[in-house]
Amino acid sequence: MAPINWKQLMAVDLETLEEEEADQLCEMLEKADSPAEDTDGAKMLRLYEVTRAVMKIKAEQGDAALDELDKMAEEQGKDSAKKEQDLMDQIRDLEDEVTRLRRMGESGGGSRDVRMLQTEIQELTRQVDLMQGEIRDKERELEKEQKEVERVNIKILNY
């Protein structure tokens, strides 16, 4: 722990306080000792005002990070849903093609083509399953990130 740098604290302009300076003040306040019992009221009031301004900036930073995380989650969810839908459409098209070829096979068409298409459908189904697993993993990862942002936000607010 270190003593409070009263000179730095008293020199802070609360009207023009920016994130970089707020980060430095936050670090200084975090490492500072509690003020002495005989500290005058003006210094204590200034300590309170600066701490409140720093907390406000930190809360805004946390909110901005949470908003960005929400946007990223929304975009990722849209991308995953579109990929899944595209694969499902592709499987449906292939199944229709298999049905059509089976009818041809019954009327003398090639069964080799049917087997090839069945293999392709199985492969695409496997790919869909893998993609769905990836989507679940990404959603879990996103939830963890959101919880971490919330935890940091709460920590900042508790400063």
Side-chain angles (χ1 to χ4, degrees):
M1 301 303 267
I4 295 175
N5 184 343
W6 290 107
K7 185 176 180 180
Q8 179 184 6
L9 204 64
M10 300 305 268
V12 172
D13 182 2
L14 297 176
E15 298 297 320
T16 61
L17 184 62
E18 294 185 8
E19 285 186 21
E20 187 175 319
E21 186 179 6
D23 289 342
Q24 292 171 351
L25 287 168
C26 183
E27 197 172 310
M28 186 261 298
L29 291 170
E30 180 182 4
K31 295 176 182 176
D33 293 327
S34 296
E37 287 186 29
D38 61 345
T39 303
D40 69 30
K43 285 184 175 180
M44 293 300 289
L45 179 60
R46 186 62 177 178
L47 175 62
Y48 171 76
E49 290 169 343
V50 169
T51 302
R52 181 176 57 189
V54 168
M55 287 173 50
K56 181 180 176 189
I57 289 173
K58 289 297 188 179
E60 289 169 359
Q61 288 174 338
D63 289 343
L66 188 57
D67 288 344
E68 186 162 332
L69 187 60
D70 287 342
K71 286 178 188 175
M72 288 171 45
E74 187 176 319
E75 288 174 19
Q76 185 178 10
K78 287 178 183 177
D79 289 346
S80 296
K82 182 177 178 357
K83 284 180 185 177
E84 184 176 354
Q85 185 59 46
D86 289 346
L87 287 172
M88 295 301 287
D89 291 344
Q90 195 175 13
I91 288 172
R92 198 170 14 279
D93 292 345
L94 289 171
E95 287 173 341
D96 291 345
E97 182 69 13
V98 166
T99 302
R100 186 183 67 77
L101 289 172
R102 278 193 179 136
R103 282 191 217 122
M104 275 179 41
E106 291 170 359
S107 62
S111 63
R112 189 175 344 155
D113 291 337
V114 172
R115 275 185 255 122
M116 182 184 74
L117 288 174
Q118 286 174 333
T119 303
E120 191 170 340
I121 287 174
Q122 289 171 347
E123 176 61 24
L124 289 172
T125 302
R126 187 187 66 78
Q127 288 177 8
V128 166
D129 292 342
L130 288 173
M131 293 292 283
Q132 288 173 337
E134 287 178 23
I135 289 169
R136 284 190 295 274
D137 291 346
K138 294 290 184 184
E139 287 172 347
R140 280 189 223 111
E141 200 174 301
L142 179 62
E143 287 175 14
K144 287 179 186 176
E145 290 293 328
Q146 286 176 328
K147 287 178 184 175
E148 179 64 18
V149 167
E150 287 176 20
R151 187 187 65 74
V152 169
N153 214 3
I154 289 170
K155 185 178 179 183
I156 288 171
L157 292 175
N158 289 334
Y159 249 171

